[in-house]
Amino acid sequence: MKVEIRRMAEADVAQVVAIENCWDYLSKWGKEGYLQVLGKPFLFCSLVAEVESSARTSPGEPKTLAGAAVLALMVDHGELCNLMVPPRYLGKRVGRQLLARCLEVARQRQLTRIFLEVRHSNQRAIRFYRRNGFEIVSRRGDYYRDPTEDAWVMEREASRDLSPTGASGVLKGMGALPR
């Protein structure tokens, strides 16, 4: 399966919301939330993982999205606001590729650390982030709603690659990010 990571576009929002809706426990941003993020490219880097769909009937049809990520670009660090993959693409390295590109963006912006919050009950995500260099650094009580739940705050250095053969290179259609 070939995956291409690129910047999220307004035309992707419906598929991104559909991915978000695959998971009951995710905080829902909805269409308006993603449109607001797309309107602030100086503050957010929004990415999608795109795969070629064998079900497409014409070359003009949109490709299928296999995941999305939103990285907030703070002064000296990044905050991974969202990284999600629909169930059918779990275990196929889509999340890892999205995370690798978020780290690449952070390095281009000379951000030193990446932070994120994850539900205490989301053991799959916690294992994923730990495998990819994140460590639990603190706890936020009652951080999530529907249902109410604490969050672990995790962090890692942005400068380290995920692996010697990690996803690298320039994001398609992006070139170097402005500073």
Side-chain angles (χ1 to χ4, degrees), residues 61-161:
E61 281 187 58
K63 292 184 179 178
T64 301
L65 296 187
V70 176
L71 177 68
L73 307 167
M74 310 310 277
V75 173
D76 62 348
H77 70 278
E79 293 184 16
L80 188 59
C81 302
N82 243 341
L83 192 151
M84 56 191 176
V85 174
R88 72 184 254 200
Y89 292 106
L90 290 176
K92 298 185 179 181
R93 302 180 59 86
V94 174
R96 184 171 168 83
Q97 290 178 59
L98 281 163
L99 180 58
R101 292 302 170 99
C102 286
L103 292 169
E104 182 180 333
V105 167
R107 286 190 295 272
Q108 288 175 351
R109 294 291 297 256
Q110 298 179 350
L111 305 178
T112 58
R113 317 268 324 144
I114 302 291
F115 292 88
L116 61 89
E117 288 89 14
V118 62
R119 282 184 183 271
H120 275 203
S121 63
N122 193 346
Q123 291 301 308
R124 182 183 189 107
I126 292 166
R127 284 190 306 273
F128 168 80
Y129 291 123
R130 281 188 163 151
R131 277 193 317 269
N132 288 289
F134 284 85
E135 297 177 5
I136 294 172
V137 295
S138 67
R139 173 188 197 138
R140 292 203 174 138
D142 296 337
Y143 181 78
Y144 289 103
R145 300 285 176 252
D146 299 319
T148 300
E149 188 174 354
D150 293 353
W152 289 121
V153 177
M154 300 182 81
E155 80 170 307
R156 68 162 278 159
E157 291 178 30
S159 61
R160 290 182 316 164
D161 282 334

Side-chain angles (χ1 to χ4, degrees), residues 24-62:
D24 292 336
Y25 57 81
L26 285 181
S27 299
K28 307 296 187 202
W29 290 18
K31 178 181 177 181
E32 290 306 314
Y34 289 103
L35 291 175
Q36 286 180 14
V37 163
L38 288 174
K40 298 176 184 171
F42 54 91
L43 183 56
F44 296 100
C45 178
S46 305
L47 305 173
V48 292
E50 188 176 66
V51 294
E52 191 72 39
S53 172
S54 58
R56 289 192 320 158
T57 56
S58 72
E61 281 187 58

Side-chain angles (χ1 to χ4, degrees), residues 5-9 12 41 44-48 172 174 177-178:
I5 307 297
R6 63 169 175 79
R7 283 217 187 236
M8 186 186 301
D12 299 320
F44 296 100
C45 178
S46 305
L47 305 173
V48 292
K172 183 170 182 176
M174 287 181 59
L177 291 173

